[in-house]
Amino acid sequence: MEAIISTILFITQLSFGICDQELQLDYLSHQDYFNTSLAGVVQSDFELVGGLIFVEAELNGVTQKFILDTRSEHLIINSDVPTSRRPIAVMKAVGGSKKIYKAKNIEFDWNGKKANRQLKYSVDLGNITKAKNKEFAGMIGYDQVKKQELFVDYKNKKVFLISKNNKDFFEHHEMVEKIRFRMVGHLPVVKVEIGKKKYYFAIDTGAEVNVIDKKFRGKIPKEMIVLNSTKKIMSGNNNEITVPATTIKSMKVGDSKYENMAFAFSDLSFLTLDGFKIDGLLGYPFLNQAKFSINYKKKNLCKWELKTKYKDSLQVALYKNKVKFTKSLFYRNQNNVLHQD
């Protein structure tokens, strides 16, 4: 029995060692290869909660959490206290709507990005606070990112805003694909091919799930569907609702195909801007498939990869680290066995 216990202990120690090494290798393989010392590059670490990006910014001199949500056109302050007697508008959302009030006496600073002359609104976003069990001060929107190229690195949990003068920012990376989009209002809209049909989807950093208009339910070819299911989402009126969902076998955006992408069906009739009807939203499940940047001025969605020479040098470093770790693990476990005997 002691031999069995000793063997189990050895296997457990080995397993923990391998897990630790996998984490270490993963860290090495996702090192930051970007040149962020250049003036004009705004860098912000973020916390990923579900599929939402939480960054830190200052609101009236106090550092607080904000969600980066490019579907919001302006800066939104999360408050359940109306700032005036009457709302100035109604914000439509999936499954409901919110009353909007003009925000007053707001000083905002996100790593030097301010909102002095930009519109600022106050909305009760308690449904998101409740769903995520996380307090946050508001949403950073399109106004705060539109003048620079927005780069989101989900693996390293970093957001960058790059000006047109920072051409060396991607020094170690190469653009592997450039996807043209059209601006519909403040939303970048790309063409998506599912089977032989074309759709138009908006890129949305604030969407935890991909969404497709419910009018297309039952119209997607059966051979393109892997699975039909349901999803629970928090609606705009603070209620949790169950919506039909589907997993699509393959879709094409630009020249690339994306396999087994899940979508929730919902009423997106409110997403008609400038007379153009948007068919759906591409959120976190799509955006985390690669390193994407959004250039609003040039109307390009770009996909980046580490250049080959840096990939090769990284592989050499990983191999050396792995050999070194394997040797140390062997001798450590040998000592453990001798000590147990």
Side-chain angles (χ1 to χ4, degrees):
M1 180 63 69
E2 290 180 359
I4 295 174
I5 293 174
S6 177
T7 303
I8 293 173
L9 179 62
F10 176 78
I11 293 172
T12 303
Q13 290 173 338
L14 181 62
S15 297
F16 276 118
I18 292 173
C19 287
D20 289 341
Q21 177 62 0
E22 286 176 348
L23 289 173
Q24 187 176 359
L25 291 176
D26 185 64
Y27 172 76
L28 285 171
S29 66
H30 296 123
Q31 283 182 351
D32 183 12
Y33 279 84
F34 297 111
N35 181 359
T36 56
S37 62
L38 295 169
V41 175
V42 176
Q43 175 182 339
S44 183
D45 294 336
F46 68 80
E47 179 184 1
L48 189 64
V49 182
L52 297 180
I53 297 171
F54 284 82
V55 299
E56 288 189 344
E58 288 188 8
L59 180 63
N60 295 337
V62 179
T63 300
Q64 300 193 58
K65 294 284 187 180
F66 282 79
I67 295 174
L68 177 61
D69 183 358
T70 54
R71 187 157 58 94
S72 172
E73 185 173 3
H74 308 292
L75 179 68
I76 301 291
I77 304 303
N78 180 15
S79 176
D80 59 358
V81 180
T83 55
S84 60
R85 290 184 179 181
R86 295 181 180 180
I88 59 173
V90 174
M91 180 175 71
K92 295 181 180 179
V94 174
S97 60
K98 296 280 189 181
K99 294 179 180 179
I100 300 177
Y101 300 86
K102 190 172 182 179
K104 302 176 181 178
N105 303 319
I106 295 298
E107 293 184 6
F108 173 82
D109 188 334
W110 178 35
N111 293 336
K113 301 290 291 184
K114 301 180 185 295
N116 296 333
R117 298 181 180 180
Q118 296 169 345
L119 296 174
K120 299 170 282 290
Y121 296 104
S122 172
V123 180
D124 181 5
L125 300 174
N127 58 323
I128 301 177
T129 302
K130 178 182 177 182
K132 295 300 170 188
N133 193 28
K134 190 172 187 64
E135 296 291 334
F136 67 101
M139 290 180 171
I140 295 172
Y142 166 74
D143 272 350
Q144 285 70 57
V145 301
K146 64 184 179 182
K147 292 183 179 180
Q148 293 174 282
E149 189 164 358
L150 171 65
F151 184 96
V152 182
D153 183 348
Y154 281 97
K155 289 184 178 179
N156 286 308
K157 296 182 176 60
K158 292 181 183 292
V159 175
F160 301 95
L161 290 175
I162 312 112
S163 72
K164 63 180 180 180
N165 297 323
N166 301 132
K167 295 179 181 179
D168 294 334
F169 177 78
F170 295 110
E171 178 183 8
H172 299 87
H173 284 69
E174 59 185 348
M175 185 192 302
V176 295
E177 187 173 0
K178 181 188 293 184
I179 305 162
R180 292 285 294 168
F181 60 72
R182 65 183 297 172
M183 290 299 294
V184 179
H186 64 284
L187 298 176
V189 176
V190 296
K191 182 171 63 177
V192 176
E193 296 180 30
I194 301 174
K196 297 180 180 180
K197 188 171 178 57
K198 296 179 177 64
Y199 302 83
Y200 293 91
F201 284 62
I203 303 297
D204 182 5
T205 63
E208 284 195 285
V209 296
N210 298 323
V211 183
I212 188 169
D213 199 307
K214 67 177 184 179
K215 71 180 182 181
F216 296 113
R217 189 184 178 194
K219 296 181 181 180
I220 299 173
K222 292 182 179 180
E223 64 270 18
M224 298 302 300
I225 296 176
V226 177
L227 176 69
N228 285 319
S229 58
T230 60
K231 283 185 177 294
K232 288 186 177 181
I233 62 174
M234 187 64 69
S235 69
N237 56 13
N238 296 356
N239 295 321
E240 187 178 70
I241 59 176
T242 300
V243 298
T246 189
T247 300
I248 295 175
K249 184 178 181 180
S250 176
M251 72 176 192
K252 188 176 180 182
V253 181
D255 295 326
S256 299
K257 289 186 177 180
Y258 299 87
E259 311 292 335
N260 299 321
M261 296 296 290
F263 287 84
F265 288 103
S266 187
D267 181 8
L268 297 181
S269 58
F270 63 91
L271 276 181
T272 299
L273 302 172
D274 298 335
F276 187 91
K277 180 67 183 73
I278 296 174
D279 299 322
L281 302 171
L282 292 178
Y284 168 71
F286 169 76
L287 292 172
N288 79 336
Q289 297 294 307
K291 292 182 177 180
F292 286 108
S293 68
I294 305 172
N295 191 318
Y296 289 96
K297 288 188 175 182
K298 294 184 177 180
K299 300 178 183 178
N300 292 325
L301 176 68
C302 301
K303 186 159 67 172
W304 301 86
E305 287 184 0
L306 196 64
K307 288 181 180 178
T308 302
K309 63 179 180 179
Y310 294 108
K311 284 183 181 178
D312 292 341
S313 62
L314 182 60
Q315 290 301 321
V316 170
L318 290 174
Y319 176 76
K320 289 181 178 179
N321 189 66
K322 187 174 182 179
V323 171
K324 183 179 179 181
F325 169 79
T326 303
K327 287 181 178 179
S328 64
L329 180 65
F330 173 78
Y331 289 119
R332 187 176 68 188
N333 286 322
Q334 284 291 98
N335 291 333
N336 286 340
V337 171
L338 290 173
H339 179 73
Q340 289 166 8
D341 289 344

